[in-house]
């Protein structure tokens, strides 16, 4: 009862989507997944829960650096001088100081197993409400211990991920790259910024390394999650989504088959495969006839070979296409089944 009283005084983050939107998001995201036979039927959308986990709101400042590699082999001309950058050339630059304001769930012994994947994710939001007496929200876990413990454990990774979009923008700015590569002095870039406005190139393998400091008081907050758990062949699986739309989960593994399309064809049509292999190099006879007889006879022989080769190969190609179509139809049926199972 004491916990309920405390809970009523807590800030609560508003989920940015409804239960129905959560289920639709599952259908859209996992519709192309190769679900094992019978696993979709085990999912009961009525088991979807909206629960709240204890977390804290962290505000502070951070700075750091980024690294990236040139994607492709761009050519950039500056002052009438063309310089080639080879694919994979490493370069880096600083991240300007930036502020952050985000909520993070507590990472402790009370964190549910399905929520562990969310411990290194921050949610930036300004949509909060106070819980009223009739809210009746389902709060999981406890709010004991040092509130900074989760931040000490996961804060650097959370901020690194938060800064990644900024790092990607900076890494694609040619002026920044040229400075980092020591091709153009920084003061020259500063004096000629207009020259660099349209000079960007693609980057890859972008990473960040940040340093952060929590500047303001850490305030507790309840963070919403949609959770859908189901059982398949004696094991529990789940799909969960933080109130900001970030989805994670554990679903039944695909039951991979070791047989490729070619393996299936070889097993089903061994005689046809042998015939095609025997005829495959028949065009060499046509080349030989050019020297032995004449070009006309060689051309006729080549046409006869091409027609025979096509006739022998067609049943194999038709079967390949049939297998591929069956696979595509099966995937589409599973996607429709998942949508019907979740949305009715």
């Amino acid at each position: 009862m004491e916990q309920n009283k405390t809970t009523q005084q807590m800030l609560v983050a508003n989920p940015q989507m409804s239960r129905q939107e959560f289920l639709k998001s599952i259908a859209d995201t996992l519709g192309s997944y190769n679900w094992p036979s019978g696993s979709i039927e085990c999912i009961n959308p009525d088991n979807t829960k909206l629960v709240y986990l204890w977390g804290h709101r962290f505000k502070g400042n951070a700075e750091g650096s980024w690294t990236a590699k040139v994607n492709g082999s761009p050519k950039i001309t500056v002052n009438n001088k063309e310089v080639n950058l080879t694919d994979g050339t490493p370069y880096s630059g600083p991240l300007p100081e930036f502020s952050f304001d985000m909520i993070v769930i507590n990472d402790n012994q009370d964190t549910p197993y399905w929520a562990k994947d969310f411990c290194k994710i921050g949610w930036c939001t300004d949509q909060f409400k106070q819980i009223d007496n009739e809210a009746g929200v389902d709060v999981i876990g406890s709010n004991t211990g040092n509130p900074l413990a989760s931040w000490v454990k996961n804060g650097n990774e959370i901020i690194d991920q938060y800064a990644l979009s900024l790092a990607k923008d900076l890494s694609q700015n040619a002026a920044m790259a040229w400075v980092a590569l020591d091709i153009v002095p920084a003061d020259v870039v500063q004096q000629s910024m207009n020259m660099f406005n349209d000079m960007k190139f693609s980057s890859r393998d972008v990473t960040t390394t940040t340093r952060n400091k929590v500047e303001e008081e850490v305030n507790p907050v309840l963070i919403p999650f949609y959770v859908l758990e189901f059982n398949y062949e004696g094991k529990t699986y789940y799909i969960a989504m933080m109130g900001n739309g970030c989805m994670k989960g554990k679903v039944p593994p695909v039951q991979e088959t070791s047989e490729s399309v070619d393996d299936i064809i070889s097993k089903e049509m061994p005689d046809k495969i042998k015939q095609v292999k025997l005829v495959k190099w028949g065009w060499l006879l046509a080349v030989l006839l050019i020297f032995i007889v004449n070009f006309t006879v060689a051309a006729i022989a080549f046409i006869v070979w091409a027609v025979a080769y096509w006739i022998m190969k067609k049943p194999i190609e038709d079967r390949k296409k049939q297998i591929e179509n069956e696979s595509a139809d099966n995937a589409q049926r599973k996607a429709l089944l998942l949508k019907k199972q979740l949305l009715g």
Side-chain angles (χ1 to χ4, degrees), residues 2-26:
E2 186 64 27
Q3 183 176 353
N4 288 338
K5 183 177 179 181
T6 304
T7 301
Q8 292 166 9
Q9 302 170 352
M10 298 297 299
L11 276 181
V12 181
N14 294 330
Q16 294 179 351
M17 61 175 53
S18 65
R19 174 185 178 278
Q20 192 70 3
E21 289 171 329
F22 164 62
L23 294 175
K24 184 178 183 302
S25 182
I26 295 175

Side-chain angles (χ1 to χ4, degrees), residues 36-91:
S37 178
S39 59
I40 293 177
E41 291 84 347
C42 295
I43 303 174
N44 183 357
D46 293 337
N47 291 336
T48 301
K49 297 179 182 179
L50 174 60
V51 299
Y52 290 81
L53 270 63
W54 289 93
H56 288 83
R57 187 176 184 179
F58 296 90
K59 298 180 182 180
N61 295 297
E63 60 181 7
S65 60
W66 55 265
T67 60
K69 292 180 180 178
V70 173
N71 185 35
S73 301
K75 297 179 181 180
I76 303 179
T77 301
V78 178
N79 295 333
N80 297 320
K81 182 180 179 181
E82 186 175 81
V83 177
N84 298 331
L85 294 179
T86 59
D87 181 64
T89 301
Y91 61 108

Side-chain angles (χ1 to χ4, degrees), residues 148-262:
L148 285 171
S150 295
W151 189 259
V152 171
K153 187 187 297 185
N154 305 313
N156 286 338
E157 189 166 344
I158 291 171
I159 294 299
D160 282 355
Q161 187 64 32
Y162 177 71
L164 190 59
S165 60
L166 173 60
K168 287 181 178 178
D169 288 340
L170 292 173
S171 69
Q172 293 177 12
N173 184 301
M176 292 288 292
W178 279 60
V179 172
L181 290 168
D182 295 326
I183 297 175
V184 177
D187 56 342
V188 174
V189 174
Q190 190 63 38
Q191 295 168 11
S192 311
M193 283 305 294
N194 292 335
M195 181 174 64
F196 293 95
N197 283 341
D198 300 321
M199 296 173 58
K200 294 184 178 181
F201 54 81
S202 178
S203 61
R204 61 180 171 87
D205 300 336
V206 182
T207 59
T208 58
T209 301
T210 60
R211 301 170 296 280
N212 67 83
K213 183 178 180 181
V214 176
E215 300 286 357
E216 299 187 25
E217 182 181 354
V218 177
N219 296 312
V221 62
L222 289 175
I223 304 174
F225 285 83
Y226 286 105
V227 185
L228 175 56
E229 294 181 285
F230 61 98
N231 292 302
Y232 173 67
E233 294 188 342
K235 295 183 179 180
T236 301
Y237 299 94
Y238 71 91
I239 303 169
M241 178 182 286
M242 187 183 281
N244 63 348
C246 178
M247 180 187 295
K248 292 184 177 294
K250 180 183 179 182
V251 296
V254 176
Q255 295 173 349
E256 294 285 357
T257 174
S258 58
E259 289 187 322
S260 65
V261 174
D262 290 335

Side-chain angles (χ1 to χ4, degrees), residues 305-322:
W305 167 82
V307 172
Y309 186 61
W310 178 81
I311 291 173
M312 290 183 177
K313 200 174 179 182
K314 189 175 186 305
I316 296 175
E317 295 301 323
D318 289 346
R319 179 57 182 143
K320 282 185 178 180
K321 185 176 292 186
Q322 183 184 16

Side-chain angles (χ1 to χ4, degrees), residues 113-129:
Y113 77 98
W114 54 261
K116 284 294 184 180
D117 288 338
F118 292 95
C119 289
K120 296 179 181 180
I121 297 174
W123 176 9
C124 299
T125 181
D126 55 5
Q127 298 181 18
F128 297 96
K129 65 179 180 182

